[in-house]
Amino acid sequence: MIITTTPTLEGHPIREYKGIVTGETIIGANAIKDFMAGLTDFFGGRSTQYEKVLIEAKDTAMNEMMQRAQMMGANAIVGIDIDYETVGQSGSMLMVSTSGTAVVI
């Protein structure tokens, strides 16, 4: 499946619009990751533990959106938007939501 943040695909005319598709995931980081991120925050540098969680959440939401588009008969998604939010008590969980337009090219 072709996916893009642009509203069109150069060289691939859109033959049919199937509709809006979304994907969502909420994922938590455990206490060990919180502790390691706290050390990184104190000493500086990148938090690879949180980066891994962020990538996992984004990939899960994207895959869910692609599956929904396939069920609609689409072979591409255009205009993709990815949003990141913290939710839960004291922002302890990460929510990633994706949306786009399912199309046939």
Side-chain angles (χ1 to χ4, degrees):
M1 176 164 297
I2 298 174
I3 58 174
T4 182
T5 57
T6 61
T8 60
L9 291 163
E10 188 172 337
H12 299 280
I14 294 174
R15 296 183 308 159
E16 185 179 354
Y17 288 86
K18 293 293 192 174
I20 295 171
V21 286
T22 62
E24 308 80 17
T25 189
I26 297 177
I27 193 166
N30 64 30
I32 294 170
K33 290 178 186 170
D34 285 342
F35 175 75
M36 297 303 289
L39 292 177
T40 301
D41 187 35
F42 181 77
F43 292 109
R46 293 174 62 171
S47 174
T48 57
Q49 295 299 317
Y50 277 147
E51 287 175 1
K52 289 176 185 175
V53 171
L54 184 63
I55 291 167
E56 178 186 349
K58 187 243 333 152
D59 289 347
T60 300
M62 292 289 286
N63 287 332
E64 186 175 284
M65 181 177 61
M66 287 188 286
Q67 288 174 359
R68 290 176 179 168
Q70 285 176 333
M71 289 189 313
M72 295 169 75
N75 62 1
I77 305 172
V78 296
I80 291 176
D81 180 54
I82 305 171
D83 291 313
Y84 300 90
E85 298 288 336
T86 56
V87 295
Q89 234 174 8
S90 70
S92 61
M93 300 189 80
L94 174 68
M95 177 178 71
V96 179
S97 59
T98 59
S99 62
T101 302
V103 298
V104 175
I105 55 172

